[in-house]
Amino acid sequence: MTSHDVLEARLALYRLLATLYRYPLTEEKLAALQSVQAEGESAAAQALRTLQQAVSSSSVERLNIEMTRLLEGPGVTPAVPYASYYLNGKQLMGAAAQAAHRLYLEHGVEPEQGSIPPDHIALEMGFLAVLAERALTDAATLETSQRFLREHLQPWLTLFCAALETNAREPFFVALAEATRQFIAEDVGQLSELSQLYPSGQLIELS
């Protein structure tokens, strides 16, 4: 796999995760999941294949009922999808949300209007997808991705994935938590390698 293949693959996976954490799930979203090529024997590839296999164990309707219980509410949600909950004493719209909002604006990404705080897992994955797309031609974006992962996503992702995995009643969400955890761990390593290949500020030449 070439470095450009790696860049393309991480873009596809960030886009996928951004949609899978966004209610509701649809047949189209699950079809997009099934279309992703999970090649190789890395922990991330194996976790992705497990997630693809889990799709057949339930219906979209059941998955959305479970997604509502786990992530949406009303009432107490077992796997709160906001960084502030884990980093700011279970308070929403805390410093983590404000920091994510500032970084989105700094990089020309207009935060969504509406009821979803900027530190929602789907929006943070969506921002990483934007950066991954830009990284196809601009190596400076790799450093931004590293910083966002290190400072904004990694400090709470393990806690969130553990809550999702522990409380899920559908295999799909157990597998989604594991696939998310493994992909992010792999991407951190990939970004370190890519940053050495393409020093900050260098344009990436597509082959």
Side-chain angles (χ1 to χ4, degrees), residues 1-73:
M1 180 179 287
T2 68
S3 58
H4 183 64
D5 291 335
V6 171
L7 292 170
E8 290 276 13
R10 58 187 300 272
L11 169 59
L13 284 170
Y14 274 121
R15 283 177 172 170
L16 177 66
L17 289 173
T19 63
L20 293 180
Y21 280 113
R22 190 70 177 268
Y23 182 86
L25 293 173
T26 63
E27 294 286 358
E28 291 75 18
K29 290 180 181 181
L30 297 180
L33 165 61
Q34 298 291 50
S35 70
V36 174
Q37 297 296 314
E39 300 176 350
E41 296 303 320
S42 69
Q46 293 179 48
L48 180 56
R49 287 195 290 270
T50 299
L51 177 59
Q52 291 171 327
Q53 293 165 5
V55 171
S56 62
S57 69
S58 190
S59 66
V60 173
E61 181 181 7
R62 281 179 55 185
L63 290 178
N64 278 320
I65 290 171
E66 177 70 340
M67 190 174 193
T68 298
R69 183 186 72 83
L70 286 169
L71 304 174
E72 298 292 318

Side-chain angles (χ1 to χ4, degrees), residues 51-162:
L51 177 59
Q52 291 171 327
Q53 293 165 5
V55 171
S56 62
S57 69
S58 190
S59 66
V60 173
E61 181 181 7
R62 281 179 55 185
L63 290 178
N64 278 320
I65 290 171
E66 177 70 340
M67 190 174 193
T68 298
R69 183 186 72 83
L70 286 169
L71 304 174
E72 298 292 318
V76 176
T77 52
V80 180
Y82 304 107
S84 294
Y85 178 84
Y86 302 95
L87 303 178
N88 300 117
K90 299 185 178 181
Q91 299 296 313
L92 301 186
M93 288 304 293
Q98 297 167 19
H101 184 266
R102 285 194 300 270
L103 197 59
Y104 298 165
L105 292 177
E106 179 184 333
H107 290 277
V109 177
E110 189 66 30
E112 290 191 25
Q113 300 299 316
S115 59
I116 301 180
D119 58 341
H120 189 288
I121 182 69
L123 298 189
E124 295 207 352
M125 292 292 179
F127 180 61
L128 283 161
V130 171
L131 296 178
E133 183 173 17
R134 293 177 181 175
L136 291 171
T137 54
D138 184 3
T141 309
L142 298 172
E143 184 178 338
T144 304
S145 297
Q146 285 182 303
R147 182 161 64 93
F148 188 81
L149 284 166
R150 183 176 62 251
E151 298 178 3
H152 294 271
L153 187 62
Q154 284 187 295
W156 69 283
L157 184 70
T158 299
L159 296 172
F160 166 71
C161 287

